[in-house]
Amino acid sequence: MKTLIALLRAVNVGGTGKLPMADLVALATAEGFGRPRTYIASGNLVFETDKSEAQVKAVLKRALHAYAGKPIGCWCAPPKSWTAPSPPTPFRTPRQIA
């Protein structure tokens, strides 16, 4: 099994887009993902799976749509994706940012 990270769009613990993290963990467990856990109340999910990233994304999008009654965007990637450096800023000097 490999570890994947899923980031969900427009999810929070109150108001619109409400998805308690305990419900997210339960949803991931019901979909067969191993050791699902969340990071703060943000819609971030870490879990283990044998499925491909595309398969995971499809499963999560379907399950989250069923839960929320509306589409919820999802991005999935392995932890190694987080270790790559970000591209340099397109601005030449701090003055161009202002």
Side-chain angles (χ1 to χ4, degrees), residues 33-56:
F33 299 128
R35 296 187 53 225
R37 52 225 183 262
T38 60
Y39 176 72
I40 63 174
S42 62
N44 298 332
L45 181 67
V46 179
F47 55 93
E48 295 176 0
T49 185
D50 288 327
K51 293 178 171 48
S52 71
E53 292 164 39
Q55 290 171 318
V56 166

Side-chain angles (χ1 to χ4, degrees), residues 43-85:
N44 298 332
L45 181 67
V46 179
F47 55 93
E48 295 176 0
T49 185
D50 288 327
K51 293 178 171 48
S52 71
E53 292 164 39
Q55 290 171 318
V56 166
K57 188 174 179 179
V59 166
L60 283 175
K61 287 177 89 170
R62 179 192 45 77
L64 290 164
H65 190 275
Y67 177 91
K70 63 180 182 178
I72 294 178
C74 176
W75 178 84
C76 295
K80 68 181 178 183
S81 298
W82 295 88
T83 59

